[in-house]
Amino acid sequence: MHRPSPHRFRLLLAAALLSGCAASGATIKDADRDGAALRVDLARTFVARGAWEAAAPLLARAVIETPDNAEVRTLYATVLRERTLYPQAEREFRAALALDPRAAAAHAGLGVLYDLTRRPAEAEPAHRAAIALAPRYAPFWNNLGFSLLVVDRADEACAALEQALALDPSLAVAYNNLGFAHGRKRDYIAAERAFRAAGTEAHTRMNLSIAHARNGDATTAARLRAEAHALDPSLPLEVL
C-alpha cells in the first residue's frame, strides 16, 4: 500500500487547513450577513407594531452595518421621530433621501415630522412627494389630509381623506380625521357618519364633543362628553 511521504503529508495537511480556514471565514461572513438581515426584519416588525424602544438598538446597529441602505435609515428616522428626537430624525430622513430620492416612505416620514414640529409649509410638499411616488397607498393620502386639516384647509383635507378611504375603506384613522375635517366645517351630520365608521358609539360621541369644543360650542361639547362617558366610563367626563 502506497503511503504519502511525511513531506507530502505535511503539504496535504496544510492545504486542508487553509481550505478549512477559507470555508470558515466565508461561513462567518454569511452568518454575519444573515444576522444583519434578521435584525432588520425584526426591527421592521417592531416599527410596524409601534414598538419603538425594541426597534431602536437594532436599527442603530443596522445603520452602522449598512450606512448606504435608505430603508434602514428611514426606519431608524421613524423610531427617532416617535421618540421625539426630531433633529436626529430629520437628519436620518434626509440621509435616506440623499441615498434614494424616490424613497416614498422617507418623504412621508419627513412630512409627518414637519407636521409635528409645526412646519406646514414644508410638510405639504413632502406629503405630496410621497403620494407622487406611491399614489395608491392610502396612508399617504391620510397624512396629507391631516396636514391640511392642521392649517384649517378643511375642504382640501376632506378631499384627500376621501381619496385615502377610496383606496382603503378600512383605514380607521382616515375616518376619524375626516370626521374632524367635517366638524371644522360645522357639518356635524357628516362628521358623525365618519366617526361612527371608525369606532364605537362612545368614541363617536367623544369625537363629536371635541369637534363642537373646537368650534366654541362648550354646551353641546359637555353634553356629548357626558353621553360618551355614560356609554364608556373609561372616557373622560371632564376636559383634559
Side-chain angles (χ1 to χ4, degrees), residues 206 209 221-222 225-226 229 235-240:
M206 181 58 70
S209 169
R225 194 164 54 251
H229 180 78
L235 295 175
L237 183 58
E238 301 297 329
V239 177
L240 296 178

Side-chain angles (χ1 to χ4, degrees), residues 12-145:
L12 291 172
L13 180 59
L17 289 171
L18 287 172
S19 174
C21 287
S24 176
T27 302
I28 291 170
K29 286 182 181 178
D30 288 343
D32 286 345
R33 225 174 1 251
D34 291 344
L38 285 171
R39 281 191 292 275
V40 172
D41 284 342
L42 184 58
R44 194 182 289 116
T45 301
F46 284 144
V47 169
R49 294 178 179 176
W52 316 117
E53 301 241 349
L58 297 172
L59 290 167
R61 180 172 175 179
V63 167
I64 294 170
E65 292 173 331
T66 57
D68 296 334
N69 187 316
E71 184 201 5
V72 165
R73 285 191 174 272
T74 299
L75 290 169
Y76 190 39
T78 301
V79 169
L80 292 170
R81 184 193 68 206
E82 294 304 314
R83 297 179 78 185
T84 70
L85 297 170
Y86 297 138
Q88 297 90 332
E90 182 172 357
R91 183 186 65 232
E92 291 299 327
F93 278 128
R94 290 192 174 280
L97 289 170
L99 291 166
D100 181 6
R102 295 186 60 78
H107 285 289
L110 201 52
V112 172
L113 173 64
Y114 290 147
D115 284 322
L116 290 170
T117 53
R118 301 182 181 184
R119 295 153 69 183
E122 295 168 276
E124 184 180 353
H127 290 308
R128 292 196 182 279
I131 288 170
L133 292 164
R136 298 198 60 77
Y137 189 57
F140 291 168
W141 285 98
N142 172 70
N143 291 347
L144 174 63

